[in-house]
Amino acid sequence: MTASEIVELRRVLGQLRQCVGSLRSRYGDVAAVQRLANDVERMDIDATELLDLDSTPRQREAPRVEREVVVVPDTPYDPKLWHDADDEGLGGYRHT
């Protein structure tokens, strides 16, 4: 981001903060207003991180993470595995 873009972003975030303050005075501290205030705060944090990225050397790619692949077979499970199990919410297998 250029310096003018950062200045513009900060200006717009300030306007958003004022709008959310107006909404809070009109509607009170309802959940929707709290979420909007949280979103403005999060955008401010993200803008600060972008500003910090401009001042530090950039990494071109994300670090690689090794992942373990778990193979799940397509074959059915052994029915004995479910012998004494009940399906909750379906009334179970045993009718007494």
Side-chain angles (χ1 to χ4, degrees):
M1 292 183 86
T2 64
S4 61
E5 289 173 327
I6 293 173
V7 168
E8 178 67 12
L9 180 60
R10 294 283 185 185
R11 185 185 67 75
V12 171
L13 286 173
Q15 289 176 336
L16 276 171
R17 212 173 262 110
Q18 288 176 347
C19 290
V20 170
S22 296
L23 289 171
R24 182 172 278 131
S25 65
R26 180 173 180 181
Y27 295 106
D29 207 21
V30 296
V33 173
Q34 289 177 353
R35 285 191 303 268
L36 287 170
N38 186 30
D39 290 344
V40 172
E41 181 64 27
R42 183 183 44 79
M43 286 188 285
D44 189 42
I45 291 168
D46 291 344
T48 302
E49 285 182 17
L50 289 175
L51 189 63
D52 292 343
L53 283 176
D54 278 345
S55 64
T56 58
R58 294 183 184 171
Q59 293 179 342
R60 291 291 178 196
E61 60 183 63
R64 295 185 183 259
V65 178
E66 291 194 30
R67 298 178 186 198
E68 180 182 353
V69 176
V70 178
V71 178
V72 179
D74 290 336
T75 58
Y77 288 110
D78 183 2
K80 289 185 237 171
L81 181 67
W82 310 108
H83 178 63
D84 285 331
D86 284 341
D87 285 334
E88 290 185 22
L90 298 177
Y93 293 118
R94 291 181 232 135
H95 297 288
T96 55

